[in-house]
Amino acid sequence: MLHIYNSLTRQKEVFTPLEPGQVRMYVCGMTVYDYCHLGHARVMVVFDTVYRYLKTSGYVVEYVRNITDIDDKIIKRAAENGEPMDALTQRFIDAMHEDEDSLNVMRPDAEPRATGNVPEMLAMIQTLLDKGMAYQGKNGDVYYDVSKFNGYGKLSGRKLDELRAGERVAVDEIKDDPLDFVLWKAVKPGEPAWDAPWGQGRPGWHIECSAMSQKLLGDHFDIHGGGSDLQFPHHENEIAQSEGCIGHKHVNYWMHNGFIRVNDEKMSKSLNNFFTIREVLKDYKAAEVRFFILNSHYRSQLNYGTDQLDAARASLSRLYTAIRGLPESGPAAYTYYEKRFIAAMDDDFNTPEAIAVLFELAGDINRIRKTQSDASAAALGALLQRLGNVVGLLQEDPESWFKGAAGAGDLDDAAIESLIQQRLDARKAKQWAESDRIRDELKAQGVLLEDGAGGTTWKRA
């Protein structure tokens, strides 16, 4: 029985979908004005894993993750680059998809863009105006009146008076309340704009997700996710807008993944301490990055560093070593290991515990290979791969994993195989010095040899 930690109630709850056997899930996606960094990678991987596990558990899942393609930062970056805004956003959407593919992240079922859903935002804003929950400020912007929503603060656990104490009222008093947030921004020179009954302009950030989630998933759905930095004010404002508009609860389970931190600070573009996914993938395999993310619980903070990624590399090599060279087989029938793996994932998607089960299984495989035979271990090896696949790991052929891709200046596979054959010929001729020379030459080129009963295998260090 799956349990999910609900940020709204601050406790784990039994997951009961609105419709038996079906799950509707919305996740806040990227604002596309630059390359994705590791913080974005965590959102991608975490909710991809949730998506995979729900599907593995037999649910029919409708997964929506939006793209913010109109925003102050986007407008500014396009102006700095001297390029059309839609050209900028499309370039970084394409780059985002490339990063996702590298990380073995499945595409959501729908990826709505903000600019393609402005009519729905206009309709929601109009409803809020008609209900007296929004108003137009002196500057032409339209604001949501938080005082008209009794539940404001319930997601973040904050009270209006406490929130107001930390705010400063704008000098010109354009808002009725410092906490009121913008739904529609009045047109400014040189900025893109849409027609609206209250004047030309563009949507505020918060209204996007309320309108798009309601359009694609209905006015009441199962799961809403995103990074913990979105809990307040973005998701708090989403609740106010959506529930103020429809008059009832709109999300049952709120999920938030923790930050990635660098030197005890949150990784973010605003702090200029971020590492793009592309930068990291120059030195590490995408699977190592995915393992690094999943080896911590999604709600915990995650420290980034080369030590952690080196550990991820070594850990994956241990798992691939356990299944390397095993004969093909169907996976073992329902076992103790599978039962524990499922129990870990059912406990709020506890991937570190699930991965620990994979290592126990790998240890059992290694023991059976030593004491019995590779054939005896084959079914457990197939099970290890199948369970790994549930969380998007162990997707590669073990030989391909160890051999990897040759970098610039590295020996290619054919050259390595040729030298291995020369070494084999030298050993047959009992030319031990030549055999050792070839081994040392390969080692100097970053290629390690392993001699076994089945012959010589190799891997790139």
Side-chain angles (χ1 to χ4, degrees):
M1 186 176 292
L2 175 62
H3 290 72
I4 295 177
Y5 182 87
N6 190 345
S7 301
L8 183 64
T9 60
R10 298 166 189 79
Q11 62 183 6
K12 289 181 187 177
E13 299 176 356
V14 175
F15 178 63
T16 306
L18 288 164
E19 298 180 45
Q22 298 187 43
V23 179
R24 286 173 290 161
M25 179 170 74
Y26 185 93
V27 173
C28 286
M30 317 310 158
T31 300
V32 284
Y33 69 98
D34 206 342
Y35 292 112
C36 293
H37 58 61
L38 278 183
H40 299 136
R42 194 176 197 191
V43 175
M44 292 176 182
V45 170
V46 163
F47 289 101
D48 174 69
T49 303
V50 171
Y51 183 40
R52 287 171 178 270
Y53 187 65
L54 289 170
K55 288 166 71 76
T56 299
S57 300
Y59 290 106
V60 175
V61 186
E62 191 172 0
Y63 175 24
V64 177
R65 192 188 65 212
N66 75 295
I67 295 173
T68 296
D69 61 347
I70 176 67
D71 173 87
D72 291 342
K73 294 174 182 176
I74 292 172
I75 294 169
K76 180 181 178 183
R77 182 64 57 86
E80 290 171 348
N81 292 354
E83 67 178 315
M85 190 180 71
D86 57 351
L88 173 85
T89 56
Q90 187 59 56
R91 181 156 54 88
F92 286 117
I93 289 169
D94 292 342
M96 177 187 72
H97 287 154
E98 290 170 2
D99 291 340
E100 285 182 308
D101 293 344
S102 295
L103 293 168
N104 193 29
V105 170
M106 299 169 65
R107 299 285 172 84
D109 298 296
E111 279 187 309
R113 302 186 188 189
T115 55
N117 293 273
V118 174
E120 289 75 15
M121 299 176 209
L122 292 172
M124 182 170 279
I125 294 170
Q126 187 63 63
T127 298
L128 293 170
L129 284 165
D130 293 343
K131 295 178 74 169
M133 303 189 78
Y135 62 92
Q136 190 161 21
K138 295 176 183 177
N139 60 351
D141 292 353
V142 177
Y143 293 95
Y144 185 94
D145 185 346
V146 298
S147 69
K148 299 295 177 62
F149 185 69
N150 291 331
Y152 195 80
K154 63 184 178 182
L155 180 65
S156 58
R158 307 181 190 192
K159 296 179 180 179
L160 287 178
D161 290 342
E162 294 171 353
L163 289 169
R164 288 192 184 101
E167 295 284 343
R168 290 184 296 178
V169 182
V171 175
D172 56 1
E173 300 285 351
I174 58 174
K175 297 192 291 185
D176 293 350
D177 187 302
L179 293 180
D180 293 347
F181 57 88
V182 67
L183 300 170
W184 186 260
K185 296 186 176 185
V187 64
K188 294 179 182 177
E191 290 191 352
W194 286 261
D195 292 330
W198 44 87
Q200 279 198 327
R202 58 186 173 89
W205 177 40
H206 306 301
I207 196 67
E208 295 177 12
C209 290
S210 288
M212 290 188 285
S213 64
Q214 183 171 321
K215 175 184 176 180
L216 293 169
L217 298 178
D219 61 13
H220 192 188
F221 55 95
D222 299 292
I223 298 172
H224 194 314
S228 55
D229 56 329
L230 300 181
Q231 191 166 349
F232 185 88
H234 184 53
H235 289 163
E236 194 75 73
N237 291 349
E238 271 194 67
I239 290 175
Q241 294 165 164
S242 297
E243 296 187 2
C245 183
I246 61 180
H248 58 75
K249 185 176 184 179
H250 83 299
V251 172
N252 280 3
Y253 302 87
W254 286 87
M255 295 180 64
H256 294 92
N257 65 271
F259 297 133
I260 291 184
R261 301 182 72 83
V262 180
N263 297 326
D264 294 322
E265 284 189 312
K266 172 197 166 189
M267 179 184 291
S268 72
K269 290 178 180 175
S270 61
L271 294 174
N272 199 32
N273 68 345
F274 67 95
F275 297 86
T276 68
I277 296 170
R278 291 166 179 241
E279 288 172 332
V280 176
L281 292 185
K282 291 178 181 177
D283 297 312
Y284 293 92
K285 295 181 179 180
E288 293 162 351
V289 176
R290 187 177 180 105
F291 183 97
F292 158 69
I293 291 170
L294 293 179
N295 204 34
S296 293
H297 193 275
Y298 77 88
R299 285 190 286 114
S300 68
Q301 293 185 1
L302 179 57
N303 258 338
Y304 167 77
T306 55
D307 288 348
Q308 288 86 345
L309 285 169
D310 288 340
R313 172 173 292 171
S315 295
L316 277 173
S317 292
R318 284 173 56 198
L319 294 177
Y320 274 112
T321 296
I323 56 178
R324 188 180 192 185
L326 286 177
E328 287 191 17
S329 171
Y334 189 67
T335 65
Y336 165 75
Y337 290 113
E338 186 170 4
K339 182 178 180 180
R340 288 182 54 222
F341 181 91
I342 292 171
M345 293 299 291
D346 277 349
D347 183 14
D348 192 31
F349 308 100
N350 192 337
T351 53
E353 186 61 33
I355 288 172
V357 173
L358 298 184
F359 279 104
E360 291 182 35
L361 178 52
D364 203 14
I365 292 168
N366 290 332
R367 179 184 60 78
I368 292 173
R369 295 183 76 169
K370 288 180 180 179
T371 60
Q372 299 179 38
S373 67
D374 284 1
S376 301
L380 286 182
L383 176 63
L384 176 58
Q385 285 186 290
R386 183 167 69 79
L387 294 180
N389 288 345
V390 171
V391 291
L393 298 174
L394 303 181
Q395 304 273 295
E396 294 185 45
D397 172 76
E399 288 302 319
S400 298
W401 169 263
F402 285 111
K403 293 178 179 178
D410 290 343
L411 291 173
D412 62 22
D413 291 6
I416 294 169
E417 296 290 354
S418 176
L419 285 169
I420 290 174
Q421 184 59 50
Q422 292 176 37
R423 177 174 175 268
L424 178 60
D425 293 342
R427 288 166 64 88
K428 287 181 179 178
K430 298 185 179 180
Q431 297 172 353
W432 308 119
E434 176 65 5
S435 170
D436 290 345
R437 185 196 66 77
I438 294 173
R439 175 187 281 274
D440 291 343
E441 179 184 341
L442 286 167
K443 185 176 181 180
Q445 296 272 8
V447 178
L448 304 180
L449 303 185
E450 297 175 3
D451 296 317
T456 299
T457 58
W458 61 273
K459 63 182 178 181
R460 287 191 168 89

